[in-house]
Amino acid sequence: MSSGITITQFIIEEQRRIPGASGEFTLLLNDLVSATKVIANAVNKGALAGVLGAAGSSNVQGEDQKKLDVISNDVMIESTNWSGHLAAMASEEMDEILPIPAEYPKGKYLLLFDPLDGSSNIDVNISVGTIFSILKAPEGKSAATTEDFLQPGTQQVCAGYALYGPSTMLVITSGHGVNGFTLDRNVGEYYLTHPNMQVPDDTQEFAINASNARFWEAPVKRYVDECLAGKEGPRAKDFNMRWVASMVAEVHRILTRGGIFMYPRDTKDPSKAGKLRLMYEANPMSFIVEQAGGVCSTGRERIMTLPPSGLHQRVPVILGSKNEVDKVVQYHKDMD
Ligand code: P6P
């Protein structure tokens, strides 16, 4: 009895539609699929496997690492560094890029990832995820450099996330729409359950960390105040608010039923342009959301066209249902 199309079958059938495809991309994607299954298993075991709690170390962001941050980072490295498809990789958890060890063949892709996004939720059993982005490495180089990674989001060949929630899902795009797969733990395989995901143009649900309200810029404050004013206000409709503190969970909700997610620039720390990182959070999520018909902006520019200035660069993020994100962008134009 078939449970439908497996992710392996889906990826191979996608490859057949690309003239001259070598199959290297397919094999890399399958390495990432395996990595998410291993991470899902560790996350799912939680306290039973002794993987909760702090690792006793901090990352380049100055954030205290959870044990599962370190475990997930190691899994992503060990699942992909040997197979000969990568020139190098970069992670939220590592200061510098990670070259491929000399004993392994190098490939033509660059991998960037946040191995366990939202990990502050892990000890309280709230959904977390893995985010990844794949770029092409420049040809004819013996070794990749950090500068090789600093490509705008429009250069991504693939982006995806795994969501470790009530069910484990993998959502990916390679520029031909967005497809979601659900892990059948009994079989150990992902099955296509959410083909051609689309973000509704309209929504009545916004997501923002409202504890930062006093630090927001005027356009964001205006937008949120109007949502809070509901039926009696200028929007003439009531809104709902969500904040999971896990970008993967927020984006997945928006892909599933619409919404707008905002982590805007604020004055809380003027040295930071926002909280979220461009290369392995904002860009991959923007690729996915745009491929599903949504819009992704800093409030002033399309995120995917930003020229990166650093591996761990932070940017403001406003993404989701087109008509809502367009409204926030318009408020920035009107009020700047
Ligand atoms: P705050 C998780 O740390 C993260 O990078 C995103 O996944 C999430 O949307 C955001 O930060 C949460 O930030 O300030 O609400 O804890």
Side-chain angles (χ1 to χ4, degrees):
M1 178 188 77
S2 163
S3 301
I5 298 174
T6 66
I7 193 166
T8 307
Q9 179 182 347
F10 182 89
I11 293 169
I12 289 171
E13 287 175 351
E14 277 237 319
Q15 175 196 317
R16 286 181 184 142
R17 287 198 284 271
I18 300 169
S22 66
E24 198 172 343
F25 173 72
T26 296
L27 293 171
L28 170 58
L29 218 40
N30 277 310
D31 293 343
L32 290 167
V33 167
S34 301
T36 66
K37 291 178 189 175
V38 176
I39 295 170
N41 184 52
V43 168
N44 189 255
K45 283 201 167 72
L48 296 175
V51 294
L52 299 185
S57 52
S58 60
N59 63 18
V60 65
Q61 328 289 342
E63 296 164 342
D64 292 336
Q65 290 177 304
K66 300 287 188 184
K67 288 177 189 168
L68 273 169
D69 282 320
V70 177
I71 291 166
S72 304
N73 197 62
D74 290 345
V75 169
M76 291 293 282
I77 293 168
E78 289 154 18
S79 301
T80 57
N81 69 354
W82 56 273
S83 54
H85 310 306
L86 293 180
M89 61 182 94
S91 164
E92 179 195 40
E93 300 302 331
M94 302 187 294
D95 299 10
E96 306 297 334
I97 68 169
L98 186 67
I100 299 303
E103 65 264 33
Y104 297 137
K106 293 181 183 55
K108 61 185 178 183
Y109 295 107
L110 299 172
L111 174 67
L112 301 102
F113 53 89
D114 181 355
L116 202 67
D117 182 70
S119 57
S120 62
N121 286 320
I122 198 71
D123 293 346
V124 294
N125 203 23
I126 291 174
S127 300
V128 292
T130 298
I131 308 171
F132 65 86
S133 170
I134 301 175
L135 297 166
K136 279 271 185 70
E139 293 181 7
K141 291 188 74 173
S142 57
T145 63
T146 300
E147 286 63 37
D148 294 336
F149 282 81
L150 302 185
Q151 303 176 38
T154 49
Q155 293 299 108
Q156 294 173 98
V157 294
C158 179
Y161 63 78
L163 175 59
Y164 312 115
S167 63
T168 292
M169 285 195 67
L170 191 56
V171 174
I172 55 174
T173 186
S174 52
H176 310 287
V178 178
N179 291 283
F181 303 82
T182 302
L183 180 63
D184 180 333
R185 292 180 187 283
N186 298 324
V187 177
E189 182 60 272
Y190 283 99
Y191 288 91
L192 179 63
T193 50
H194 297 65
N196 189 31
M197 299 182 83
Q198 290 290 311
V199 178
D201 287 344
D202 293 298
T203 184
Q204 290 179 241
E205 198 160 64
F206 69 96
I208 194 166
N209 181 339
S211 70
N212 294 323
R214 63 191 184 282
F215 302 117
W216 295 337
E217 294 181 305
V220 170
K221 186 132 183 47
R222 172 182 173 189
Y223 177 79
V224 172
D225 285 347
E226 289 181 354
C227 290
L228 295 175
K231 280 198 182 72
E232 295 71 36
R235 300 300 307 275
K237 64 179 182 178
D238 289 338
F239 281 75
N240 202 2
M241 195 188 107
R242 287 285 183 275
W243 191 250
V244 185
S246 176
M247 187 185 194
V248 176
E250 313 275 11
V251 169
H252 189 72
R253 185 188 60 248
I254 289 168
L255 277 170
T256 308
R257 69 184 188 207
I260 180 171
F261 167 87
M262 295 170 280
Y263 213 112
R265 174 192 303 273
D266 64 38
T267 58
K268 190 173 186 178
D269 181 346
S271 68
K272 290 179 181 170
K275 174 172 186 184
L276 302 176
R277 295 77 167 178
L278 174 63
M279 297 307 295
Y280 40 78
E281 289 175 329
N283 269 339
M285 289 310 207
S286 295
F287 191 16
I288 293 166
V289 169
E290 285 196 6
Q291 279 289 310
V295 173
C296 307
S297 172
T298 63
R300 296 178 172 88
E301 303 157 281
R302 180 187 175 204
I303 286 172
M304 289 221 293
T305 55
L306 292 175
S309 57
L311 204 53
H312 301 292
Q313 168 184 356
R314 297 173 190 265
V315 290
V317 177
I318 296 164
L319 63 77
S321 293
K322 178 180 184 323
N323 294 339
E324 292 302 315
V325 177
D326 286 352
K327 182 176 285 290
V328 178
V329 170
Q330 189 56 50
Y331 286 179
H332 279 81
K333 285 179 183 148
D334 296 347
M335 303 172 76
D336 273 353

